[in-house]
Amino acid sequence: MITVIGSLNMDLVVETKGLPKQGETNFGKSFATMPGGKGANQAVSVSRLGADVQFIGCIGEDLFGNELLKNLKNENIDTKNIQTVKNSSTGIANILLSEGDNRIIVIPGANYELTSQKIISKKDTILQSKMVIIQLEIPANTVLKVLEICHTANIPVLLNPAPASSFSMDYIDYATFITPNETECKDIFGVNYEKALELYPNQLIVTKGKSGAQYFDGIEHKFIKGFKTNVIDTTGAGDTFNGAFAFAISRQYPFNDAVEFANAAASLSVEKFGAQGGMPSLQLVMKRVASRI
Ligand code: RIB
């Protein structure tokens, strides 16, 4: 069982050609609401590959919350540890899609009701996990509590440090894998992040969009090239990478193969619209991996 602890957001996606300047009003191309949230996305990524997934998180008592819950159930994810909280609305993400990339503003809402006390009450659920995946769209002390529980119980944790502004250096000693994208890595470790990679071999992995991913294996830097892809929407590519990497590690793939597998999954995810729209099945990922061998 893989446990994902994190956010559920309704993504409010606006596609636009150019971005408005301060004080300017522009017409956009389209608008859509799509299920998202880094936590939910990573859970869907793992589940589509065929692993058992349970989710711990919070939604509000509203329409978006109901839809997000229904969506995770449809994706075969165990949702019994998702709590509906009063007095807080379900998280949303305002996503601007422009020139092949995205800019995201998150209003956490109910995601911030996932307190460390709630985590303590879910300890037995967490202890059932082969691996735990967590991100930073929930309160910082909740993240720390999860890391402490897993560390004591020897359960590997993949920490996706997004948004990077919520990252704390205290997390490093507890997390088995840390997976920032390049912007997040620079925010956390500075522009010369290669030194940080060397400090945390086989632990810190930087995802670099279409250029693939990079890590240090203790002897040398490894650059895992991205796969050729036809980009429609990059939202959720990092989440797909994280879910696929956790899946591969939990199936005992060698580290390098797990990164390659995750890269292939991420390259497929960008070929469809929406954070979860293009998340692939195991069969599709295997096919893409084989296309390079
Ligand atoms: O990583 C993409 C996700 O970030 C979106 O689905 C949005 O909800 C934000 O959490």
Side-chain angles (χ1 to χ4, degrees):
M1 172 73 73
I2 294 185
T3 304
V4 182
I5 303 175
S7 58
L8 304 105
N9 297 330
M10 187 57 87
D11 289 351
L12 314 179
V13 189
V14 168
E15 218 184 334
T16 169
K17 208 157 160 237
L19 297 168
K21 298 189 204 82
Q22 185 93 33
E24 191 184 33
T25 303
N26 277 2
F27 284 114
K29 282 206 281 191
S30 66
F31 171 74
T33 55
M34 308 290 287
K38 293 185 197 301
N41 294 344
Q42 292 175 22
V44 172
S45 168
V46 182
S47 181
R48 292 233 181 123
L49 293 168
D52 288 336
V53 188
Q54 59 180 356
F55 196 91
I56 301 179
C58 290
I59 49 174
E61 220 176 7
D62 49 32
L63 219 61
F64 285 168
N66 288 342
E67 275 187 49
L68 295 178
L69 196 61
K70 216 180 337 156
N71 177 59
L72 289 194
K73 283 183 182 155
N74 287 340
E75 296 285 351
N76 296 317
I77 293 165
D78 180 339
T79 60
K80 66 175 176 294
N81 292 295
I82 296 180
Q83 197 181 335
T84 304
V85 295
K86 293 188 196 297
N87 309 324
S88 203
S89 49
T90 298
I92 64 109
N94 209 315
I95 303 186
L96 272 182
L97 283 185
S98 179
E99 287 140 24
D101 219 334
N102 59 54
R103 286 158 199 250
I104 306 180
I105 297 178
V106 169
I107 307 291
N111 294 310
Y112 261 46
E113 299 299 320
L114 185 61
T115 57
S116 51
Q117 285 82 354
K118 287 201 176 93
I119 291 302
I120 292 167
S121 74
K122 300 286 177 199
K123 191 171 168 187
D124 289 347
T125 304
I126 296 171
L127 293 180
Q128 296 164 4
S129 321
K130 197 167 180 185
M131 186 157 184
V132 166
I133 307 178
I134 194 162
Q135 323 72 32
L136 305 181
E137 290 183 333
I138 53 176
N141 53 357
T142 302
V143 175
L144 197 57
K145 185 47 74 190
V146 171
L147 289 171
E148 283 168 2
I149 290 174
C150 292
H151 194 251
T152 310
N154 243 329
I155 297 171
V157 181
L158 185 160
L159 168 66
N160 175 223
S165 55
S166 300
F167 185 78
S168 155
M169 288 294 178
D170 294 343
Y171 298 156
I172 296 186
D173 289 342
Y174 293 99
T176 319
F177 306 107
I178 304 175
T179 56
N181 66 24
E182 207 168 8
T183 310
E184 290 154 358
C185 200
K186 286 179 182 163
D187 285 351
I188 296 170
F189 299 104
V191 279
N192 296 321
Y193 59 77
E194 296 219 332
K195 291 217 168 52
L197 289 172
E198 288 165 18
L199 274 179
Y200 306 109
N202 297 325
Q203 181 188 13
L204 183 58
I205 308 151
V206 189
T207 59
K208 303 170 109 177
K210 62 175 187 292
S211 307
Q214 182 184 348
Y215 67 96
F216 185 73
D217 71 355
I219 296 169
E220 58 181 359
H221 284 273
K222 295 280 185 188
F223 298 88
I224 314 297
K225 275 198 295 180
F227 286 79
K228 275 213 180 92
T229 185
N230 176 25
V231 180
I232 302 289
D233 180 1
T234 57
T235 314
D239 297 328
T240 309
F241 180 98
N242 280 288
F245 179 75
F247 172 86
I249 290 289
S250 73
R251 298 274 161 120
Q252 324 290 336
Y253 282 38
F255 194 89
N256 203 72
D257 293 357
V259 179
E260 176 87 1
F261 179 88
N263 257 347
S267 78
L268 285 156
S269 79
V270 301
E271 293 178 350
K272 290 193 183 141
F273 181 69
Q276 299 170 10
M279 288 179 174
S281 63
L282 181 57
Q283 212 185 4
L284 280 178
V285 183
M286 305 279 260
K287 205 167 145 203
R288 181 134 309 175
V289 170
S291 73
R292 190 141 80 184
I293 296 168

